[in-house]
Amino acid sequence: MSSGLARSLCALFLGVLAVLALPPFSLPVILPIAFGGLYLLVVGATRRTAGLAGWAFGVGFFLFGLSWIAESFYVDARRFGWMAGPAVAGLAAGLALFPAAAMAAFAWSRTKGVSGALIFAVCWSVSEWLRGTMLTGFPWNLIAYTWADYDIPRQMAAWVGSYGLGLLTVLLSVLPVTLHMRNRRQNAFATFVFISVVAGAGTLGTVRLMATTPPTDTTVRIVQGNIPQTEKWNPAFRDRNISRYLDLSAQSGRFDVLLWPESAFPGYLDENPGMLDQIADRLPEGSVLLTGAQTREPGVTGTRYRNSILAVDQTGRIVTRYAKHHLVPFGEYVPLRGFLPIQRLTAGLGDFTPGPGPQTVELPGLSPVGLSICYEAIFPGRVVDAASRPDWIFNATNDAWFGASFGPRQHLASARMRAVEEGLPMVRAANTGISAFIDGYGRIVARLGLDETGVLDARLPAALPPTPFAKYGQLTFLLILAASIVGAIGMTVRKESAP
């Protein structure tokens, strides 16, 4: 490993390998190899060498883990296809700066052994938090999602959130490689820490899952139209697409809430009384439709366009609306539009305007619902209005942009982790899948897979009591972060003072 090129190539490979621990692969056994290997590459190295290794690891991690983004550029291949490769490569190179900074900071700490494992995990988790916060944030494929498909370890997110669970996961991944680097006493302590974390997480997760939570009496119907993105806004398919949603909604069966996905109607639904009347004809007495829709409104500087969710009652009246507040760069708006000669990928007349923030909606006869659209479900601690806790979360999304890649599966994993963190059921309506009912434990109660057309009827899972994370947010992550740093400092001081 004396060669910088060899070190970087090894780190690049380990970054690619780490993706296999995440959905849809979900192979946690990979993490001790990936992060253990990265630890060995950077422990004792200079800050520059460690930073380059961290950057190479990040490039491999994001290049493979986000490769599905290229699919979106081929929806309109004539205009944007040429951008697919450079866009994914550029995004990976930029996001890799976060693990680069993490590894440089770890090298600066000059720690080894158990204290080194703690600081390594701290540096990685802080870099994930920064990635999810800076420049509007992009917390995709957090290491905590390794456990999205595993019921017991996933529950730890209810206490410490995804960033805190990521810290514990990286710590457990690195501790085994510290055993051969220390004396017997240190090895025993590393083993003790490993067993304590595993046993603690296992106990808390098992106890949480022991509670029985019968579903509510509210029946929800999800409509999955399964319309390819290339046809969604094509005038030649407009009537067919509208009829598909109306016909599926009218299938036999009683429901209280009807859910359509993001931008289900190809136009401005709130400006189309005829369409609202057709929807009303298909709504049972006392029921309501929640649907994704584009809206527009006049503003001082011109028309403002919004990516919205509209609530339509049985009379065809729009009773409330929600505007997406966390927009997708280059998909829904172009950052620095005055300087970048780039068009956004989605159809429309202008950039979207963000809404004010998370919103809880109360509808007559129904339990309060927190509304979110697509991308908003990937942000820990920012998916519901903390001042007005809902009983469930509706996420309207459209993953048709990404075809049958593993992007939609990763998106579903994010939704499952939000449900655990908040202790709230998440109901996800996706145009081409994966639509799902997710309970407050992150378990999928019912689902419609990718590229399926149909409806999904199920009783709404019950809300759980507010979790520690729901009550205190990222404070729980900060506490485990502080405890790890204090523990590492204490072990270092004790070692230096030992005779």
Side-chain angles (χ1 to χ4, degrees), residues 101-168:
M103 294 303 100
F106 170 67
W108 174 81
S109 73
R110 311 303 295 178
T111 53
K112 296 181 179 180
V114 179
S115 59
L118 281 167
I119 296 301
F120 183 95
V122 164
C123 291
W124 179 271
S125 60
V126 169
S127 77
E128 285 197 325
W129 177 80
L130 290 172
R131 172 162 62 90
T133 305
M134 294 178 62
L135 302 176
T136 78
F138 189 64
W140 196 278
N141 276 358
L142 300 178
I143 290 301
Y145 299 170
T146 297
W147 309 113
D149 289 330
Y150 297 88
D151 286 350
I152 292 176
R154 185 178 64 231
Q155 304 311 311
M156 276 301 297
W159 279 272
V160 297
S162 290
Y163 296 122
L165 180 53
L167 188 153
L168 294 176

Side-chain angles (χ1 to χ4, degrees), residues 119-338:
I119 296 301
F120 183 95
V122 164
C123 291
W124 179 271
S125 60
V126 169
S127 77
E128 285 197 325
W129 177 80
L130 290 172
R131 172 162 62 90
T133 305
M134 294 178 62
L135 302 176
T136 78
F138 189 64
W140 196 278
N141 276 358
L142 300 178
I143 290 301
Y145 299 170
T146 297
W147 309 113
D149 289 330
Y150 297 88
D151 286 350
I152 292 176
R154 185 178 64 231
Q155 304 311 311
M156 276 301 297
W159 279 272
V160 297
S162 290
Y163 296 122
L165 180 53
L167 188 153
L168 294 176
T169 301
V170 174
L171 174 62
L172 292 179
S173 301
V174 173
L175 277 174
V177 303
T178 67
L179 296 178
H180 79 279
M181 303 177 67
R182 311 299 297 170
N183 58 33
R184 182 179 302 176
R185 188 176 182 181
Q186 286 288 322
N187 288 349
F189 186 64
T191 303
F192 170 77
V193 172
F194 185 93
I195 293 175
S196 297
V197 173
V198 171
T203 300
L204 289 173
T206 300
V207 170
R208 187 168 192 262
L209 289 169
M210 289 172 63
T212 57
T213 52
T216 68
D217 294 329
T218 301
T219 299
V220 178
R221 167 170 290 182
I222 299 173
V223 175
Q224 186 166 297
N226 193 30
I227 297 169
Q229 192 62 33
T230 53
E231 300 176 4
K232 192 169 183 59
W233 296 97
N234 190 327
F237 298 100
R238 177 184 171 88
D239 291 341
R240 184 209 66 181
N241 295 345
I242 293 174
S243 295
R244 181 177 297 181
Y245 273 99
L246 291 173
D247 293 344
L248 289 170
S249 301
Q251 287 188 9
S252 61
R254 170 75 190 184
F255 55 84
D256 302 295
V257 185
L258 177 64
L259 301 180
W260 287 4
E262 180 184 16
S263 61
F265 181 73
Y268 299 102
L269 178 60
D270 57 343
E271 300 176 14
N272 194 320
M275 183 62 187
L276 291 172
D277 288 340
Q278 292 186 66
I279 290 171
D281 290 340
R282 288 157 175 82
L283 290 176
E285 183 74 21
S287 65
V288 65
L289 165 71
L290 292 173
T291 177
Q294 292 193 12
T295 59
R296 58 186 174 184
E297 57 194 42
V300 177
T301 58
T303 302
R304 290 182 296 186
Y305 300 91
R306 298 189 189 273
N307 189 354
S308 303
I309 291 177
L310 303 179
V312 183
D313 69 9
Q314 65 196 32
T315 69
R317 183 173 62 98
I318 296 175
V319 294
T320 192
R321 62 184 67 206
Y322 161 79
K324 185 177 183 180
H325 67 276
H326 212 131
L327 303 177
V328 181
F330 303 105
E332 294 172 313
Y333 75 100
V334 177
L336 304 175
R337 176 172 282 281

Side-chain angles (χ1 to χ4, degrees), residues 461-482:
L464 305 179
T467 64
F469 183 82
K471 291 179 180 179
Y472 307 113
Q474 300 299 348
L475 177 61
T476 58
F477 166 59
L478 294 177
L479 289 175
I480 193 173
L481 201 68

